[in-house]
Amino acid sequence: GAVVSQHPSRVICKSGTSVKIECRSLDFQATTMFWYRQFPKQSLMLMATSNEGSKATYEQGVEKDKFLINHASLTLSTLTVTSAHPEDSSFYICSASGGEAIQETQYFGPGTRLLVL
Amino acid sequence: AQSVTQPDIHITVSEGASLELRCNYSYGATPYLFWYVQSPGQGLQLLLKYFSGDTLVQGIKGFEAEFKRSQSSFNLRKPSVHWSDAAEYFCAVWGDDKIIFGKGTRLHILP
């Protein structure tokens, strides 16, 4: 149980285009989903937290107009990188939590590798 | 502010040897602590967590960790490593409504 999927696993796009990444909780309802960014050989940095049906809460320094997050249902959240540039190339990871307590264990997706040319 | 320090960027051990990965945290209250493993091409997998109670926590894959409040540590241990344990290991603490990760320790296994 507690499986989280991400799609696509890998995407290459041209500079200036937008890319959408999907995160799905397959066997549980995710009241909260988190989006992380991981640079090579570095830790995961939280970008934003989203609760179903409400606006995402972005971490300091993350451009909300560039990284659009939608959490329209209890099993799906999407991250759209708008007008992507080479510096947006990274590994994006989502996680989902279904517990009532916010510190409940997060279950992580396999990640999406984005390369912007 | 909450923080997590993993002092060792890389650790190399021989297969069958014991393992200890260090983790120190900074948090004002009783921390919620986690250890995750990240293997190439796979998502982060939770090895174990500490919320309260017994300070020696058993996890999956034969791992355990001990919470020591006096040392602000939550070190991960395994008595005998397997080649399949080669991966990146992240210690994390819950704080400010989010998980804060350490920078990770890359574990290498010698045959």
Side-chain angles (χ1 to χ4, degrees), chain A residues 38 43 59 102-103 105 109, chain B residues 32 38 49 94 98 101-102:
Chain A
Q38 185 179 29
S43 186
E59 294 299 301
I102 195 169
Q103 69 269 26
T105 300
Chain B
Y32 297 107
Q38 185 180 36
K49 61 186 178 184
W94 178 269
K98 61 187 176 185
F101 287 89

Side-chain angles (χ1 to χ4, degrees), chain A residues 75-108:
Chain A
T75 59
L76 173 65
S77 176
T78 60
L79 168 67
T80 302
V81 183
T82 62
S83 186
H85 288 91
E87 59 265 29
D88 299 323
S89 299
S90 192
F91 193 52
Y92 293 89
I93 303 172
C94 74
S95 70
S97 172
E100 292 184 0
I102 195 169
Q103 69 269 26
E104 276 292 306
T105 300
Q106 294 179 26
Y107 298 94
F108 287 80

Side-chain angles (χ1 to χ4, degrees), chain A residues 19 30 35 69 90:
Chain A
V19 175
W35 286 96
I69 292 172
S90 192

Side-chain angles (χ1 to χ4, degrees), chain B residues 56-76:
Chain B
L56 184 62
V57 181
Q58 301 298 320
I60 62 171
K61 302 184 179 185
F63 286 93
E64 67 177 26
E66 186 170 12
F67 169 61
K68 293 185 177 180
R69 184 187 299 275
S70 61
Q71 299 178 20
S72 297
S73 69
F74 189 56
N75 295 347
L76 182 71

Side-chain angles (χ1 to χ4, degrees), chain A residues 34 36 38 41-46 49 59 91 93 102-111, chain B residues 32 34 36 38 41-46 49 51 88 90 94 96-99 101-104:
Chain A
F34 305 82
Y36 296 85
Q38 185 179 29
K41 299 182 181 180
Q42 293 192 32
S43 186
L44 284 76
M45 301 300 296
L46 180 66
T49 302
E59 294 299 301
F91 193 52
I93 303 172
I102 195 169
Q103 69 269 26
E104 276 292 306
T105 300
Q106 294 179 26
Y107 298 94
F108 287 80
Chain B
Y32 297 107
F34 308 84
Y36 285 89
Q38 185 180 36
Q42 299 184 27
L44 271 75
Q45 182 179 22
L46 179 69
K49 61 186 178 184
F51 282 6
E88 187 90 21
F90 291 95
W94 178 269
D96 289 337
D97 292 336
K98 61 187 176 185
I99 288 182
F101 287 89
K103 292 190 174 182

